[in-house]
């Protein structure tokens, strides 16, 4: 296997808050191979956005503090780089599409102006304004925005939620990045437009060998785009496997719960199977398995210490005591 | 409870043209009903929701809440309506005040509209947040210290604080993972069970969510309703080609696509310059040349019991 394009190793991150130190990310390791599309899923608030943003220096410190870890990208440890160097990597080689489109569009400037400025910044000024404008219009067309010329002259509030998201996708893809981090890129879109955007991302993966980290709550979306899935729970990775394995042969009780909770879109359902309880308090994180108090399979040893990620073979890893060798053999 | 009659909302652009975001919609929700509004991004769903609660002024048409015409209501009358009618906005990030803690955000409507104070207020706010799955550890956080889904849950708690009788929920679970979504949807269903009068307009592009929660559904395309019926009817036998495309495009986990996905080609038309005839005809796989591009279809009853705006209906009936 070729070297990973991105390698996060044992990342730990804390936030200083009014109520104390919140330990948001606890020892996460993650690799993304060239041309691979990795899905990152997990309960709301488990740390997906913070992890991927922090890797590229986008979580302000203070209040955040990275207490350990390395982030290797293109042979360099990003955590040791200065803001200026990071900024140039972010613009040109890594593109990010975020969850909250409105926050990333400035309400007082027209969409087109922002797009053109972003393109000029991405190419570090090596593109004329005219050419940047043409590229901007081409990208707006590519993400299937109706009437690109008019949207170009609109202000962000004049666009619907889905249109704004498409503008940001256009902005991200204009740089032809090596790695695309898409944080809930299609939540604001209806399924027919979503299908087009996912096709577009899939096209870029196969044509440009783009690598993708796709954060999504929609396991259907993940199944459609990703080759591999990492499941996070309360700041840790609990399972990591090829996409088909996650759906057909899930191991971690949390992953099982997640899959059971999906409402079937085309069949009537009377009740949805949520997972009772909520994320543990990460001001005082449990010392054992963080899912133990919500887990129907929990045994006393589960609270004894953090279960390590164990390799089950064929690229399938799980952090759960139930799969410890001595248990399986016994 | 909510009656929308021939609602139009046009946003002017330049001197003599306008974005016809909503272009003649009628929809009526009986007390206790849960109605879903689905449709293409940009089709005007949020605009309908905002106009229904008079968060923006309609260009024409009428809106009645509990029998009272609020189309032109102002000042005190409008405030009175808003106390009992709440909206959960699509974008939780920009609908929370960045300078207010979570506690304060949820307490605010109670402070403004009730006499609940002190311990009782603390208790009520904590209980509301608990119901949406946000335990005490988040009370003193500011919005920027929360994840997307956590903010969305704060918005839901805030909207429910005053026990509204009419709720407009605009993509209320879009930022939640499926297990938390399941908790919230079950909670909303339970709430409806406990409060038989509570009426909800549920805006979502997630058909599974609408299917679970709503008894009736309306499908929008480019500012109009193109199909309306009971959830069962619409899901079992979608009549409008757009509804069919919508249902076929739902990504299912396991990567199994729901039968054959109908790929819509062509660009989504702009509501500032809608196509002639049926607004869906340029993208419709079944468009009839010489008919669909010329004449606008009217709303009619289909054999399946739904109301549909499509020429195929008359043609198939003939
Ligand atoms: N500035 C901050 N200060 C304190 N805590 C924070 C801050 N930013 C994020 N957090 C906390 O870190 C945790 C992880 O947040 P993150 O945004 O990564 O979640 P997520 O997995 O992306 O969730 P979602 O699916 O809802 O977007 C959350 O519990 C959140 O409350
Ligand atoms: N203030 C405004 N000025 C001009 N045009 C607007 C304004 N608000 C909305 N629009 C336009 O009205 C149309 C409908 O927008 P709306 O937000 O209601 O769509 P939506 O169906 O909610 O879409 P989404 O699913 O993407 O949220 C869009 O074309 C949008 O660009
Ligand atoms: Mg997030
Ligand atoms: Mg909307």
């Amino acid at each position: 296997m070729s070297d990973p394009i991105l390698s996060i190793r044992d990342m730990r991150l804390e936030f200083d808050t009014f109520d104390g130190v919140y330990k948001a990310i606890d020892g996460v390791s993650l690799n993304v191979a060239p041309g691979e599309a990795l899905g990152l899923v997990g309960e709301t608030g488990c740390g997906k956005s913070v992890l991927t943003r922090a890797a590229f220096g986008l979580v302000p410190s203070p209040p955040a503090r990275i207490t350990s870890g390395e982030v290797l990208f293109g042979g360099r440890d990003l955590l040791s780089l200065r803001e200026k160097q990071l900024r140039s990597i972010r613009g040109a080689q890594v593109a990010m599409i975020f969850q909250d489109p409105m926050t990333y569009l400035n309400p007082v400037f027209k969409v087109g102006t922002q797009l053109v400025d972003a393109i000029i910044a991405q190419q570090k000024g090596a593109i004329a304004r005219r050419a940047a404008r043409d590229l901007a219009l081409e990208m707006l067309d590519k993400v299937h925005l109706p009437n690109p010329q008019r949207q170009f002259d609109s202000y962000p509030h004049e666009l619907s939620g889905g249109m704004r998201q498409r503008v940001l996708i256009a902005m991200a893809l204009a740089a032809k990045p090596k790695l695309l981090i898409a944080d809930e890129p299609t939540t604001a879109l209806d399924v027919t437009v979503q299908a087009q955007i996912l096709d577009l991302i899939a096209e870029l993966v196969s044509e440009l060998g783009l690598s993708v980290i796709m954060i999504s709550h929609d396991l259907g979306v993940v199944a459609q785009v990703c080759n591999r899935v990492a499941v996070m729970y309360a700041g840790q990775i609990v399972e990591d496997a090829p996409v088909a394995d996650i759906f057909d042969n899930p191991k971690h009780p949390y992953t099982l719960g997640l899959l059971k909770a999906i409402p079937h879109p085309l069949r009537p359902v009377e009740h949805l199977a949520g997972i009772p309880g909520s994320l543990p308090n990460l001001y005082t994180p449990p010392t054992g398995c963080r899912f133990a108090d919500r887990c129907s399979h929990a045994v006393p040893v589960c609270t004894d210490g953090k279960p390590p990620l164990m390799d089950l073979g064929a690229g399938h890893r799980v952090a759960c005591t139930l799969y410890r060798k001595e248990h399986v053999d016994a | 409870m909510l009656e929308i009659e021939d609602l139009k909302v046009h946003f002017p652009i330049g001197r003599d043209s306008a974005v016809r975001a909503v272009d003649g919609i009628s929809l009526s929700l009986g007390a206790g009903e849960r109605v879903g509004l689905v449709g293409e991004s940009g089709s005007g769903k949020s605009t309908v929701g905002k106009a229904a609660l008079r968060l923006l002024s309609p260009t024409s048409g009428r809106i009645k809440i509990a029998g009272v015409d609020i189309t032109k209501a102002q000042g005190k009358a409008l405030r009175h309506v808003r106390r009992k009618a709440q909206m959960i906005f699509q974008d939780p990030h920009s609908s929370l005040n960045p300078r207010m803690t979570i506690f304060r955000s949820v307490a605010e409507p109670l402070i403004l509209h009730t006499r609940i104070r002190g311990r009782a207020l603390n208790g009520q706010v904590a209980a509301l947040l608990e119901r949406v799955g946000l335990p005490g550890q988040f009370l003193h956080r500011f919005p920027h210290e929360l994840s997307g889904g956590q903010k969305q849950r704060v918005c839901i708690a805030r909207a429910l604080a005053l026990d509204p009788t009419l709720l407009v929920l605009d993509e209320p679970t879009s930022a939640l993972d499926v297990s938390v979504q399941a908790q919230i949807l079950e909670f909303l269903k339970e709430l409806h069970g406990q409060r038989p009068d509570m009426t909800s307009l549920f805006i979502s592009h997630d058909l599974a969510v609408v299917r679970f929660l709503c008894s009736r559904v309306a499908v929008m395309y480019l500012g109009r309703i193109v199909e309306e019926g009971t959830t069962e009817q619409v899901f079992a036998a979608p009549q409008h080609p757009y509804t069919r495309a919508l249902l076929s495009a739902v990504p299912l986990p396991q990567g199994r696509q729901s039968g054959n996905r109908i790929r819509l080609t062509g660009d989504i038309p702009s509501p500032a310059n809608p196509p002639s005839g049926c607004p869906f005809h340029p993208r419709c796989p079944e468009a009839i040349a010489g008919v669909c591009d010329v004449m606008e279809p009217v709303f009619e009853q289909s054999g399946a019991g739904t109301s549909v705006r499509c020429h195929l209906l008359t043609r198939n009936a003939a």
Side-chain angles (χ1 to χ4, degrees), chain A residues 13-17 20 22-25 41-53 59-60 63-64 99 183-184 215-217 232 235 279 282-283, chain B residues 93 137-138 141-151 153 175-177:
Chain A
L13 180 148
E14 311 173 336
F15 286 106
D16 282 323
T17 76
Y22 188 83
K23 301 170 192 78
I25 305 289
V41 303
E43 179 148 339
T44 311
C46 70
K48 306 176 297 290
S49 302
V50 166
L51 173 72
T52 42
R53 287 180 200 204
V59 178
Q99 221 169 357
D183 194 347
E184 299 285 354
I215 301 176
S216 179
H217 292 310
M232 272 185 89
L279 284 177
L282 295 186
Y283 288 108
Chain B
H93 313 281
Q137 48 170 313
F138 296 104
R141 295 274 183 98
F142 288 92
H144 76 268
E145 299 177 314
L146 294 181
S147 81
Q150 290 165 341
K151 276 183 266 197
R153 287 187 273 180
L176 304 178
D177 69 282

Side-chain angles (χ1 to χ4, degrees), chain B residues 30-153:
Chain B
E33 248 200 315
R34 291 169 283 178
V35 176
L37 193 58
V38 301
E40 187 113 11
S41 146
S43 59
K45 305 180 296 294
S46 299
T47 309
V48 171
K50 287 181 199 156
L53 300 188
R54 277 295 316 280
L55 297 167
L56 51 81
S57 293
T59 310
S60 70
R62 268 198 339 170
I63 295 156
K64 283 195 213 163
I65 293 182
V68 182
D69 190 326
I70 60 151
T71 320
K72 300 228 152 57
Q74 273 180 352
K76 210 168 160 194
L78 207 51
R79 270 204 297 283
H80 185 72
V81 169
R82 296 235 174 97
R83 207 201 129 161
K84 283 287 164 199
Q86 291 288 325
M87 176 146 182
I88 298 171
F89 293 95
Q90 185 167 9
D91 187 359
H93 313 281
S94 49
S95 56
L96 288 173
N97 183 332
R99 277 182 279 280
M100 278 189 195
T101 63
I102 299 324
F103 174 84
R104 181 76 200 187
S105 276
V106 177
E108 186 84 350
L110 291 165
I111 295 172
L112 288 176
H113 292 282
T114 72
R115 292 177 189 282
I116 304 169
R117 293 293 181 275
R119 286 264 280 285
L121 182 68
N122 294 349
Q124 194 149 339
V125 171
L128 277 162
L129 286 168
E130 193 77 39
R131 286 305 300 267
V132 297
L134 276 183
Q137 48 170 313
F138 296 104
L139 276 182
H140 307 294
R141 295 274 183 98
F142 288 92
H144 76 268
E145 299 177 314
L146 294 181
S147 81
Q150 290 165 341
K151 276 183 266 197
Q152 194 158 39
R153 287 187 273 180

